[in-house]
Amino acid sequence: MDSRLTVLTAFPPAAGIDNEEYYKESQQHAKRVRELLRDNAQWIRESADDILKHVNPAVCSLSYLMILEYLLQASGWTSQQAHERLASYLTEFFLQFDARQIRCKGSIWSDVLKEVYNEHSLFPASVAVEVGTAALLRLDPSGSILTSHHCNLVELAYSTGNVGPVLPLIQKPIIYMPAKGMSTTQPLCDMSLPPPAYVNPDSQLTDGLTSFAVLQYDFLCGLCFTERRMWQQAFDAFERCVTYPTRDGGCSKIMTEAYNKWILIGLLLTGKPPALPETTSQAAKKIFATQGKPYKLFAQAFKANTAGNLVREFEVINPELLPNEGNVELAKLVLAHYQRWQIINLRNVYTNISLDKIRELTQSAETGGPLPSVEAVDQLLQSMIADGSLRGVIERPTDGSPAYLTFLSAPTQGLSEVEFSAKVNKVAQGIKALEPIIEATNKRLASNREYISHTVKRQFDAAREHKLGLQSAGGGFEESPFHIEEEEDLMSGIPAH
């Protein structure tokens, strides 16, 4: 074998080496590879295909990555054919790389990943999103820390209509935010480290994030989920925007837009206007009450027994508000679901009810009146039963009596011993999986000066109120010191609200 190939395949070391020595050797290896690339430029350019066949991306990930970085900048690799080969190598790498090695050279990994999804990418958008998503989940399988790559990928996915490939990433619950100054004294290659300890601007596996970037990420996630009609996930994403903590109780435009979408999706999801969470700041509530008033009135009309008010409120907001905010189709979907929710709510009164009675008691918000015939009611009920929104069955008596709907009860709660045991084990595994996240969060909260200041202030206020004979009211986000200034890096080590 060529001695130069021996250099490229000399890392990782044999098993059994400790983390400190592993990290030290990774840096020495990277230095040797850098020198080899510098001194053998022509060999690398002309023999790259053969070289990469001998360097396994799953085993010698660091060497493979550094060769990719070199080829992306090499003048001899600018042709269309070369780009296609390079795209193939990039895909192979990001689907297989060893995450432990990559932690040792985060800056190179980030730079190469950006080449996958930037505006001059070698990939079609759909492939770029898929490869980027796979890379991030390989780096952090828990998906618990938000990175600048997340923000760029979700924006690319939504803007190009490639939502599907990014769903495995954006469905992961975000627990942490990255920030500078979170470097650990332990080697980054220690696989027991929680995500904030190795995914941060110091390791260069991510850039810093501003408050706007985080808000935009949640907003775009909401749009992606809305496109896929994943109502619960969309509702949760927009609610994170609505309740976002800001300095001095402010409220941004993106928060008000999220609020309007949150109301509409809440109607689709629950059949009633959603209530603002307690964590919403007082200032935001006031702004939502004024700027979101047309949507709130539309939502209140959804509760009426007749469709007339809802249709009128739709006509009020349809000319300007809905088109300007991209909510026309969403609001029309709410109109279409109005009668569906009326039918679902009949189960609170009836065990079974004739189709003719359903036609009499419910109205279509699309026409402003009852459905034209019992047959139309029958078709609507069948579609609701088929899509799972209605638990019921249409009974058709053989004696010629009118057909009627029988509401079915919820699935039986009775479980066999085996089923119960399996359910308990699944819950236990879920709790166990949360333990490292909880432990890491507690450690970072305990050392975070703003959190300590907030805790001391709360204790002082409680003691003072007790002394005065008052009940402690407890603080909201608007009283919290956890305010985020626009264009500042976010803190890490605390839950991502």
Side-chain angles (χ1 to χ4, degrees), residues 182-481:
M182 291 306 299
S183 55
T184 175
T185 56
Q186 296 173 263
L188 294 178
C189 57
D190 183 347
M191 297 304 285
S192 67
L193 290 174
Y198 67 91
V199 182
N200 53 57
D202 295 326
S203 71
Q204 299 185 59
L205 284 168
T206 177
D207 297 331
L209 295 178
T210 64
S211 58
F212 175 78
V214 178
L215 268 172
Q216 186 180 47
Y217 174 77
D218 280 329
F219 188 77
L220 288 171
C221 285
L223 293 178
C224 288
F225 290 133
T226 299
E227 182 179 301
R228 285 305 179 99
R229 299 198 174 192
M230 301 169 68
W231 303 128
Q232 185 63 63
Q233 293 91 331
F235 184 80
D236 293 342
F238 288 130
E239 188 169 282
R240 290 194 294 272
C241 295
V242 168
T243 59
Y244 196 83
T246 57
R247 181 174 293 279
D248 301 326
C251 182
S252 66
K253 184 175 183 291
I254 199 169
M255 291 172 67
T256 59
E257 289 185 6
Y259 172 77
N260 295 337
K261 294 180 185 295
W262 176 77
I263 284 182
L264 296 177
I265 290 173
L267 294 174
L268 292 170
L269 186 63
T270 66
K272 59 184 179 182
L276 278 170
E278 291 297 322
T279 51
T280 311
S281 71
Q282 293 301 319
K285 287 179 181 178
K286 291 178 181 177
I287 293 173
F288 295 153
T290 54
Q291 296 190 17
K293 185 176 181 180
Y295 284 88
K296 189 172 183 180
L297 292 175
F298 179 71
Q300 291 297 326
F302 195 89
K303 299 190 298 183
N305 292 327
T306 57
N309 287 343
L310 186 64
V311 173
R312 283 191 290 274
E313 292 298 337
F314 175 78
E315 291 172 350
V316 169
I317 62 177
N318 187 35
E320 292 184 10
L321 283 180
L322 293 177
N324 290 343
E325 298 182 1
N327 289 333
V328 175
E329 296 305 316
L330 200 54
K332 286 182 178 178
L333 201 56
V334 170
L335 295 181
H337 278 66
Y338 172 77
Q339 189 168 26
R340 286 171 166 256
W341 275 106
Q342 280 194 317
I343 292 171
I344 292 170
N345 291 333
L346 288 174
R347 72 180 308 126
N348 299 327
V349 180
Y350 299 93
T351 302
N352 49 61
I353 180 174
S354 70
L355 271 57
D356 189 61
K357 188 70 172 177
I358 292 175
R359 179 175 178 271
E360 177 186 331
L361 293 177
T362 67
Q363 294 184 350
S364 167
E366 294 174 296
T367 63
L371 290 178
S373 65
V374 171
E375 288 73 20
V377 174
D378 194 325
Q379 291 177 4
L380 176 59
L381 294 177
Q382 288 187 55
S383 68
M384 292 175 66
I385 293 170
D387 65 23
S389 59
L390 175 64
R391 286 190 53 78
V393 60
I394 300 174
E395 306 282 1
R396 306 183 193 279
T398 57
D399 61 0
S401 301
Y404 60 91
L405 171 69
T406 297
F407 291 102
L408 299 179
S409 58
T412 177
Q413 297 300 312
L415 297 174
S416 69
E417 187 174 339
V418 174
E419 290 171 330
F420 181 76
S421 177
K423 195 169 185 177
V424 170
N425 286 336
K426 185 177 181 180
V427 172
Q429 290 171 5
I431 293 173
K432 188 174 182 179
L434 288 174
E435 286 178 358
I437 291 177
I438 294 171
E439 182 181 357
T441 300
N442 287 339
K443 286 181 180 178
R444 281 164 175 73
L445 282 173
S447 62
N448 187 287
R449 67 177 185 274
E450 294 197 23
Y451 176 76
I452 294 171
S453 173
H454 175 60
T455 303
V456 171
K457 180 179 182 297
R458 289 284 296 274
Q459 292 174 346
F460 177 79
D461 291 344
R464 182 179 59 186
E465 290 178 358
H466 178 73
K467 186 175 181 180
L468 295 173
L470 300 175
Q471 259 189 333
S472 176
F477 269 117
E478 65 277 9
E479 299 168 341
S480 169

